[in-house]
Amino acid sequence: MMAQIIDGKALALEMKNELKTQIDAWVKLGHRAPTLRCILVGDDPASHTYVNNKIQAAIYVGIDAQTIKRSKDISEEQLLAEIEQLNADANVDGILVQLPVPETINERKICNAVAPEKDVDGFHVSNVGKLCLDMPTLVPATSLAVIQMLKRYNIDTLGRNAVVIGRSKNVAMPIAMMLHTDKRHDSGLGMDATVTICHRYTPKDQLEFYCRHADIIVTATGIPKLIKADMVKPGATIIDVGITKVTDENGKSRLVGDVDFDEVSKIAGALTPVPGGVGPVTVTMLMHNTFQVAQSRVGKSLTA
Ligand code: ADP
């Protein structure tokens, strides 16, 4: 049987419509529209595309979003000053600095400079710490997207075996964190799975072993076709976070994930495509975080 395709594009649209309704209601109550400022340094085409997608999604849901473009030659000091200005601006809710920043700039310093209560990427050290302690906080959008996809497709995680491939601090680690934690804890995001983390030093035979025993595989490596059909337990759920640009035999470039999609879709129970999987839901979760910031900054929430 063919795997159910977890349609990130459709899910993102559904969630953006929900968010749009909530933001409309928020504005009707007399609040100003939530605001988001994206700092984009340099001219990496992928970064420009990502930021543009975020701005488009923001416009759709009713968030006032602007990109602040800066040259790749900006100094760390200047960038820190820009962030400080946004931190101090009462009319700015969410702030993000599109990563990567140029090598001359210390990425961790930049992430820690964003005011934690405006940190819609969830990369500030205190927000990461809260996530690790299961405290309510701003959670990185990609990991929220993975969790939402599992929830909205009713994928059972309690007591199940999950393998996370990759250990990056911004993507894979928060996914592994939420997958293994206790749902009863304060954040309410715990998924109660038994989690194995694999990475570049996991021997290939061990990666295959863990994957074959997994009910859920989340892969975030950027290695095309890392996950082959013979590594997948029939009926398993696979969330593909990898995005790699490849050039086919006709010289045309396209995006692929970590999963050998054509073969794995014959054996998996549910599978996300690339593109059109985790990506669009990630952008939507960033909008969700921005609205969360806007609400908490005035000490109110639509639901509370
Ligand atoms: P991102 O930030 O998008 O998660 P990174 O490039 O920072 O991506 O991380 C790639 C991850 O993939 C790393 O954690 C690395 O250990 C993991 N990885 C690389 N090669 C392999 C491999 N052959 N098997 C398993 N994991 C791998």
Side-chain angles (χ1 to χ4, degrees):
M1 224 173 68
M2 289 296 281
Q4 178 183 27
I5 303 304
I6 299 180
D7 185 344
K9 241 174 141 174
L11 188 56
L13 183 60
E14 186 185 316
M15 293 169 71
K16 277 192 293 190
N17 285 334
E18 289 168 14
L19 199 53
K20 184 175 163 42
T21 305
Q22 290 176 3
I23 293 174
D24 283 350
W26 176 253
V27 171
K28 280 207 183 88
L29 284 175
H31 301 289
R32 65 156 169 71
T35 57
L36 172 66
R37 297 294 175 261
C38 307
I39 301 183
L40 176 56
V41 181
D43 32 44
D44 173 46
S47 291
H48 278 254
T49 305
Y50 292 146
V51 171
N52 194 36
N53 289 344
K54 292 170 189 178
I55 301 290
Q56 295 309 319
I59 292 168
Y60 186 88
V61 299
I63 290 173
D64 162 1
Q66 283 173 23
T67 310
I68 300 168
K69 289 186 187 149
R70 292 294 174 258
S71 137
K72 65 178 182 346
D73 302 321
I74 190 171
S75 70
E76 185 178 280
E77 211 176 22
Q78 284 170 317
L79 185 55
L80 289 170
E82 296 268 4
I83 296 169
E84 203 38 62
Q85 210 178 325
L86 296 173
N87 286 343
D89 188 339
N91 287 318
V92 172
D93 296 319
I95 303 169
L96 72 85
V97 181
Q98 182 67 38
L99 300 181
V101 285
E103 276 175 12
T104 47
I105 296 173
N106 181 323
E107 183 177 297
R108 180 58 16 227
K109 228 174 169 175
I110 297 304
C111 292
N112 288 347
V114 174
E117 67 279 9
K118 296 188 175 189
D119 172 34
V120 284
D121 266 341
F123 294 162
H124 188 285
V125 65
S126 71
N127 288 327
V128 177
K130 285 180 178 174
L131 175 68
C132 295
L133 293 171
D134 303 348
M135 293 163 72
T137 189
L138 289 159
V139 176
T142 308
S143 54
L144 275 182
V146 170
I147 300 304
Q148 277 297 325
M149 292 173 107
L150 293 173
K151 282 191 172 160
R152 297 218 176 200
Y153 275 76
N154 296 315
I155 309 294
D156 224 0
T157 54
L158 189 133
R160 299 297 167 113
N161 289 336
V163 170
V164 176
I165 312 170
R167 56 177 170 181
S168 70
K169 295 301 166 200
N170 296 346
V171 178
M173 184 278 280
I175 295 170
M177 194 58 68
M178 284 186 280
L179 277 173
H180 89 272
T181 48
D182 191 333
K183 191 180 174 52
R184 293 168 307 176
H185 287 179
D186 288 350
S187 76
L189 294 169
M191 303 293 277
D192 290 305
T194 306
V195 176
T196 304
I197 299 170
C198 297
H199 50 76
R200 70 177 74 250
Y201 297 116
T202 305
K204 187 96 177 87
D205 63 324
Q206 291 298 302
L207 177 68
E208 290 171 2
F209 171 84
Y210 287 116
C211 285
R212 278 192 204 114
H213 288 84
D215 303 300
I216 299 139
I217 298 173
V218 182
T219 180
T221 70
I223 303 172
K225 298 199 174 167
L226 179 70
I227 308 301
K228 302 224 163 49
D230 63 1
M231 296 165 67
V232 173
K233 178 162 123 177
T237 298
I238 306 182
I239 310 286
D240 192 348
V241 189
I243 309 174
T244 309
K245 202 173 186 178
V246 294
T247 309
D248 66 18
E249 33 317 328
N250 307 320
K252 265 185 91 179
S253 67
R254 62 190 178 100
L255 295 177
V256 297
D258 293 354
V259 175
D260 185 351
F261 188 89
D262 292 342
E263 292 305 314
V264 170
S265 59
K266 293 177 190 159
I267 186 148
L271 173 62
T272 63
V274 177
V278 177
V281 185
T282 296
V283 175
T284 308
M285 295 321 294
L286 179 72
M287 301 308 132
H288 160 92
N289 281 354
T290 305
F291 185 40
Q292 186 185 320
V293 167
Q295 290 176 94
S296 61
R297 289 189 66 242
V298 293
K300 286 191 186 132
S301 114
L302 269 184
T303 43

